[in-house]
Structure formats: structure tokens, C-alpha cells
Amino acid sequence: MSITANEILDAKGLACPMPIVRTKKAITNLEPGQVIEVQATDKGSTADIKAWADSTGHQYLGTVEDGEVLKHYLRKASEEDTKEDTKHEAIMDLRVLRNKMDAGESLAIVDVREPAEFAFGHIPGAENIPLGELEERLSEIDQNEELHIICRTGSRSDLAAQKLKANGYKNVKNIVPGMSNW
């Protein structure tokens, strides 16, 4: 398969949220309809970039694996098709979450980082559902609970919280700044 990109962005070696940060910046230089190839090595970047494209109106075309490099292809939408980067409105500071845990509250925590990130450290009792698996695993998440969604920095958890809200979950909190400050 041969895909022609109008611009190639090197995001190899960068971890979340940097591939998305760089993509946001680079896509502004493209004309509507043009394609950008984002080269990344972060395995979680596939779900991150797909979710970001969905939330902004740009078209996620797909990802091609080339050895250790993931080549993500995005088509820039027209101004009428793009949306402002939306943010999930309900956030909770990580310190508030920690205080609730210290007080012995029973909390539903969903960690949307990749399994390798989760393995190296997570909140006790958190359930690991990577962002890329979220839609197919919705049945595992109780819609009646107050959900606390966390990732490394608050970016993936923001996208996950938006996705949960769009699927009918009412009480969803994005935990910021995320596990980087745990």
C-alpha cells in the first residue's frame, strides 16, 4: 500500500501527549484535504491520534506499522468540518482523588493508559482499560457509578471521558494532572 502524504511529522521517541501536541501544530500548516503522516514509536499513539481526530473533525485514515514505527495518516478537514478541541467539563484534581481514597471512599477508577504503563505503577484498585479498547469494553463499566478517569497527563483521560459521556455515562470525572504526579 502506497500512501502519499503532504507532510511527514517525526514524533518518534515521544510519549503522550507530545505526538498529539506536535500533530495539532503541524496540521495547521496543511490545506483542507491534505494528508499528514505522523511517525511515532509510542504504542498508545494510535488510540490517542484516532480519538483526537474524532474529537476535532479531522479524518483518521489509518495506521501502518513499519517495524517499530507507527505511521498514522490524517486528512485535514475543512474549516466547516473542524471543531474546537473540546475538553470534558467535569474534572477533578488528583489531590482531591487522593483525599477521597485516604478517607476510605470506594471509588471507580479507570486507567486508560497502555498495559505497560499500568504495570509500572497505578492507583490501587484502578481498572486498566486502554483508550484504544474503551468502546469495545464499555460493558465492563458501570454507568451508575461516579467514574474517575486517569492517564499519564490528563489528555487521554479527557478523550476517554468525552467518549464515555457520548455513550450515555452521566457522572464522569477527568483526573488531572494524572499519573505523572501520583
Side-chain angles (χ1 to χ4, degrees):
M1 167 174 34
S2 177
I3 301 170
T4 303
N6 300 94
E7 184 169 337
I8 297 174
L9 172 65
D10 183 356
K12 295 185 292 277
L14 301 176
C16 178
M18 291 312 296
I20 291 176
V21 170
R22 295 252 177 107
T23 301
K24 285 180 187 180
K25 204 173 201 179
I27 207 162
T28 62
N29 298 327
L30 296 178
E31 295 295 321
Q34 290 187 321
V35 174
I36 186 169
E37 174 185 305
V38 181
Q39 299 177 352
T41 50
D42 178 7
K43 297 296 180 196
S45 65
T46 302
D48 298 347
I49 287 178
K50 183 179 184 323
W52 174 77
D54 289 346
S55 74
T56 58
H58 298 296
Q59 183 182 5
Y60 169 78
L61 300 173
T63 298
V64 175
E65 289 189 39
D66 185 6
E68 294 294 312
V69 178
L70 299 167
K71 295 180 177 179
H72 308 293
Y73 294 92
L74 297 165
R75 182 181 169 278
K76 183 175 180 174
S78 66
E79 282 188 40
E80 303 84 54
D81 296 333
T82 57
K83 309 175 241 179
E84 279 294 314
D85 269 344
T86 55
K87 293 279 185 196
H88 183 70
E89 69 281 353
I91 61 169
M92 179 183 287
D93 188 274
L94 183 61
R95 290 177 301 219
V96 174
L97 179 72
R98 190 182 286 272
N99 290 341
K100 285 179 169 239
M101 291 180 69
D102 291 345
E105 288 188 40
S106 176
L107 302 169
I109 302 169
V110 179
D111 188 323
V112 296
R113 296 176 300 150
E114 293 299 306
E117 295 173 282
F118 187 81
F120 280 98
H122 58 271
I123 296 172
E127 184 174 359
N128 183 221
I129 301 179
L131 179 61
E133 298 174 14
L134 187 63
E135 287 196 68
E136 64 221 30
R137 294 180 61 187
L138 287 174
S139 63
E140 298 175 33
I141 304 169
D142 186 347
Q143 283 195 343
N144 300 315
E145 289 193 87
E146 179 177 305
L147 300 173
H148 302 83
I149 314 301
I150 195 162
C151 68
R152 189 172 74 82
T153 63
S155 295
R156 282 178 278 183
S157 55
D158 180 79
L159 294 169
Q162 290 180 54
K163 195 168 283 205
L164 287 165
K165 193 80 168 171
N167 279 282
Y169 291 78
K170 305 272 186 264
N171 200 353
V172 182
K173 306 274 191 271
N174 179 23
I175 306 302
V176 291
M179 291 301 294
S180 61
N181 284 28
W182 180 254

